Amino acid sequence: MLEIKNILLQLLFALSPFVIYNIYYRKLEINYSRRFIVITCSFSLLLSMTFASSIYEGIIFDVRYVIIFFGILFGGVTSGLILLGELIIYRIYIGGTGVYDALIIQAIIFPLSILLCSLYHKIRKKHIITFIAGLSFSIIPLISLYINKPEYSVTYFSFNIIVLLVQNSIGIWLLITLFNKSVSDKEFYIKHIQNEKVEAINQVAASLAHEVRNPLTTVLGFLKLIRANTFNWEKTERFIDISIEEIYRTEQILSEYLSISKPFGSIQQQIDLASQLKTVVDVMTPYANMNNVELEAELPSSPILIYGSPTEIKQLLVNFIKNAIEACTEVPNAHVGISFSIHLRRVQLVIQDNGVGMDHEQLNRLGSIYYSTKSTGTGLGLTFSYQAIRSMNGTVSVQSTPLSGTIFTISLPLA
């Protein structure tokens, strides 16, 4: 029973580089480095030699050959030499009757490991090299022990066979197979991330070109008409006013693209959500009146304190209220209502309109980048708002029915 326990412990030490790799590189957009291989293998080597299996004083069995082979395979010969130096120094420090035999065995296995690693990178059937390596790392120590310590080898033959075969053959197969799988998955993930970045850049470029081209085309057309000087001054002034509006619209589009690229939640401070909303309502009321929409807000008498960025809070409130107003412009008795409620240490901000509403497909795509229900919209306003709310550990839920209005519920944690 003790032998099984020691074998399982050694297999755990052998798998340490694989386990550490999956923990450390899980969220990184890079793959392993030679330094990582050397550090993790050094750690595994020390543990396996410190808690080695032994049935005779001075003679220890561990997964050193597996770890050094792995270090050479994924870190190169230089990494293998560093691990070899560590092994020799620590084995001499441990001492015992098996020191001389350990050094002889390592002198044979190390160059064999370099040769097998070279073959591993060249042939397609890599599992054959893994099998040969595991078998070699088990047989060579057995033969060396039999030559130098025949009496010990005969007495503890079954123990030596079981420990060496299981630790080296199974250990090397598990470590190489699992690590290769993780590395392949990580490479696929990195490639996927890179492709997503390229695709996002292409979408940004195409969308920006499309959004900016329209107002520029309008301005260019009016400038040509003005240069022709075939209209009276009143009409020319009208052309200039329209051109100025289009330039402002271009500036607004560029501002939206810039806002979406800024990091969120960089400035977190305690702010009064009620006060922020009152300011935004005062700003948006003239816009609502201009569109014949009644804007009504039930503002609480006491402060509602949350953590966030004042600039981001104002911007997202403007985005939601502006969208609600614009959704009501074509309906009679247009109305946008804003209300508060507090439940379980969270504030619920409800923005409700009786506008055109949205269908199921529109609801599913809402908040996605470059998607807008408005013909002149970029979709970046809601994308910004959703990301800003998430950066404050908040959530957004939407209820909407075509021709019956929309209800946005923003939930944010109280300070």
Side-chain angles (χ1 to χ4, degrees), residues 158-210:
S158 59
F159 172 81
N160 296 343
I161 285 284
I162 293 170
V163 171
L164 284 170
L165 278 174
V166 173
Q167 288 184 177
N168 292 319
S169 298
I170 296 180
I172 200 168
W173 176 76
L174 282 173
L175 179 57
I176 301 298
T177 304
L178 293 175
F179 194 81
N180 261 327
K181 179 68 169 59
S182 294
V183 168
S184 299
D185 290 346
K186 173 58 74 172
E187 287 175 352
F188 177 79
Y189 169 75
I190 293 171
K191 188 175 180 181
H192 175 69
I193 292 294
Q194 290 171 344
N195 290 338
E196 276 194 338
K197 286 180 178 179
V198 172
E199 186 179 350
I201 291 170
N202 291 337
Q203 285 183 354
V204 169
S207 178
L208 183 59
H210 172 73

Side-chain angles (χ1 to χ4, degrees), residues 69 116-117 119-120 123 125-134:
F69 179 80
L116 290 174
C117 287
L119 292 173
Y120 184 92
I123 69 172
K125 296 183 178 179
K126 302 184 185 299
H127 62 276
I128 296 175
I129 300 299
T130 306
F131 174 76
I132 293 172

Side-chain angles (χ1 to χ4, degrees), residues 306-331:
I306 62 169
Y307 278 112
S309 165
T311 305
E312 290 175 10
I313 283 287
K314 280 184 180 177
Q315 186 61 50
L316 72 89
L317 289 174
V318 167
N319 289 338
F320 278 109
I321 296 172
K322 183 172 179 286
N323 285 344
I325 293 170
E326 291 173 351
C328 301
T329 54
E330 297 180 3
V331 300

Side-chain angles (χ1 to χ4, degrees), residues 37-47 67 82-83 86:
I37 296 296
V38 172
I39 292 172
T40 53
C41 286
S42 298
F43 174 72
S44 301
L45 194 61
L46 285 173
L47 286 177
I67 294 169
I82 294 172
L83 296 172
E86 178 189 353

Side-chain angles (χ1 to χ4, degrees), residues 65-79:
Y65 313 125
V66 173
I67 294 169
I68 288 184
F69 179 80
F70 171 82
I72 297 171
L73 187 63
F74 291 96
V77 178
T78 305
S79 301

